[in-house]
């Protein structure tokens, strides 16, 4: 839902450039807000998600209930490792009504490279709607830069000038219902990147923490050393709960074998 983030992530992949270099490119192209955190921090996209949730479910906008994570932690290594497994990394916003309440989350995720979202390149946006009767509907269009932004604003001005009066949310705002907010609980597989000390027993300690959290490992890969004392390790889990992942991410640094903070990304099969 943010063309700037999609430009940065796809440019990192196609050019093999680090996040910082592509961030500066996006600034030079005029893709970034005056406060870049609104874009790369996922805030702009979360505003859009809250509005779309309101339209989709007839609920009042609740931006404070959106779980937000930006793309700042995504490295060129993550981009390459995801590609090795047939995935691409996208800033993905998901809203779904569950028996527990309305889930709203915005975070970078791995999606299949051949999926509609995986094929979305450059400063483009995409919205995927899933309905009981209509199935999946995919909408895509330009989402970053002065041209697309000016076009969207001018179209609103033209509608006002023509006297078009449609309810913004498909119904009067007073009719919108307050939804109970719910944290994400739907199980999913997760990608984890760990920088470990290159010493005996390090992997065993990681496996123990994951086992204690009830997380089953699907794949584990060790790549070439980053230095004489550390080595990158990639773990892909079987489906597990966000609570289990949170427990593991909090416990892993206490093992004493991590060189840097772990990075985890949800895998969405959309």
């Amino acid at each position: 839902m943010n063309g700037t983030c999609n430009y940065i992530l796809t440019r990192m992949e196609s050019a093999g450039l680090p996040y910082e270099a592509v961030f500066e490119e996006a600034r030079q192209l005029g893709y970034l807000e005056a406060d870049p955190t609104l874009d790369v921090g996922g805030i702009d996209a979360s505003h859009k998600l809250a509005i779309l949730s309101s339209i989709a479910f007839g609920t009042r906008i609740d931006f404070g209930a959106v779980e937000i994570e930006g793309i700042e932690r995504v490295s060129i290594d993550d981009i390459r490792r995801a590609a090795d497994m047939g995935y691409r990394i996208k800033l993905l916003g998901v809203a779904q009504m569950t028996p527990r309440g309305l889930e709203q989350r915005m975070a970078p995720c791995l999606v299949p490279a051949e999926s509609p979202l995986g094929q979305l390149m450059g400063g483009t946006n995409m919205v995927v709607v899933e309905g009981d009767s209509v199935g999946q509907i995919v909408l895509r269009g330009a989402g970053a830069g002065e041209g697309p932004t000016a076009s969207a604003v001018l179209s609103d001005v033209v509608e006002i000038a023509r006297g078009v009066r449609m309810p913004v949310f498909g119904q009067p705002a007073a009719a919108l219902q307050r939804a109970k907010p719910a944290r994400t609980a739907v199980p999913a597989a997760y990608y984890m990147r760990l920088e470990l000390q290159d010493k005996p027993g390090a992997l065993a300690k990681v496996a123990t923490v994951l086992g204690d959290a009830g997380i089953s490992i699907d794949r584990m890969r060790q790549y070439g050393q980053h230095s004489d004392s550390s080595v990158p390790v990639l773990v892909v889990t079987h489906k597990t709960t966000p609570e289990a992942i949170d427990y593991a991410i909090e416990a892993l640094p206490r093992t004493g074998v991590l060189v840097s903070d772990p990075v985890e990304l949800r895998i969405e099969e959309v």
Side-chain angles (χ1 to χ4, degrees), residues 5 7 12 32-33 43 61 82 88 116 137 142 147 157 160 165 175 178 185 190 192 199 212 224 246 249 261-262:
C5 287
Y7 171 83
M12 287 172 67
L32 290 168
E33 299 278 0
I43 298 170
I61 290 178
R88 288 196 171 108
I137 299 173
V157 173
I160 293 171
R165 296 291 185 269
R178 187 179 300 277
Y190 282 81
M192 303 177 70
K199 64 180 185 180
D212 290 344
D246 290 344
I249 293 300
D261 291 337

Side-chain angles (χ1 to χ4, degrees), residues 19-54:
Y19 171 84
E20 293 77 13
V22 181
F23 178 92
E24 187 55 35
E25 274 190 12
R27 185 195 297 278
Q28 295 296 326
L29 289 168
Y31 285 177
L32 290 168
E33 299 278 0
D35 178 0
T37 305
L38 292 174
D39 283 316
V40 298
I43 298 170
D44 169 75
S46 296
H47 287 151
K48 298 173 184 176
L49 180 66
I51 294 170
L52 290 174
S53 296
S54 179

Side-chain angles (χ1 to χ4, degrees), residues 85-104:
M85 298 184 295
Y87 291 97
R88 288 196 171 108
I89 299 177
K90 301 292 181 183
L91 181 66
L92 197 64
V94 178
Q96 57 190 123
M97 186 64 75
T98 73
R100 299 174 299 99
L102 178 60
E103 293 184 4
Q104 300 178 91

Side-chain angles (χ1 to χ4, degrees), residues 47-264:
H47 287 151
K48 298 173 184 176
L49 180 66
I51 294 170
L52 290 174
S53 296
S54 179
I55 295 171
F57 303 112
T59 57
R60 296 184 188 179
I61 290 178
D62 189 359
F63 174 70
V66 182
E67 302 171 44
I68 305 174
E69 180 185 345
I71 65 170
E72 300 99 322
R73 293 194 305 151
V74 178
S75 72
I76 187 63
D77 285 339
D78 295 320
I79 298 286
R80 290 168 176 160
R81 306 307 181 230
D84 287 346
M85 298 184 295
Y87 291 97
R88 288 196 171 108
I89 299 177
K90 301 292 181 183
L91 181 66
L92 197 64
V94 178
Q96 57 190 123
M97 186 64 75
T98 73
R100 299 174 299 99
L102 178 60
E103 293 184 4
Q104 300 178 91
R105 63 180 181 272
M106 178 67 59
C109 298
L110 274 68
V111 300
E114 299 304 317
S115 68
L117 285 167
Q119 292 292 302
L120 190 69
M121 309 299 283
T124 312
N125 287 354
M126 177 174 286
V127 176
V128 180
V129 181
E130 294 185 0
D132 291 341
S133 300
V134 299
Q136 191 178 85
I137 299 173
V138 179
L139 308 170
R140 62 176 292 167
E146 58 186 17
T149 303
S151 176
V153 172
L154 187 58
S155 69
D156 289 340
V157 173
V158 169
E159 284 197 354
I160 293 171
R162 288 176 172 172
V164 177
R165 296 291 185 269
M166 294 288 291
V168 175
F169 302 99
Q171 60 181 300
L176 298 175
Q177 302 297 311
R178 187 179 300 277
K180 178 183 177 182
R183 271 186 54 83
T184 300
V186 177
Y190 282 81
Y191 158 101
M192 303 177 70
R193 174 170 54 83
L194 311 171
E195 187 75 16
L196 304 182
Q197 295 178 14
D198 189 13
K199 64 180 185 180
L203 280 176
K205 289 185 177 181
V206 169
T208 298
V209 167
L210 297 180
D212 290 344
I215 298 172
S216 174
I217 298 174
D218 180 28
R219 282 173 280 176
M220 179 181 288
R221 296 182 184 178
Q222 179 174 317
Y223 289 86
Q225 289 181 312
H226 276 174
S227 68
D228 292 338
S229 59
S230 69
V231 61
V233 173
L234 171 66
V235 175
V236 175
T237 75
H238 287 288
K239 283 189 176 182
T240 187
T241 64
E243 289 79 5
I245 288 293
D246 290 344
Y247 173 89
I249 293 300
E250 182 179 347
L252 280 168
R254 295 198 294 266
T255 61
V257 299
L258 267 67
V259 175
S260 59
D261 291 337
V263 172
E264 87 289 349

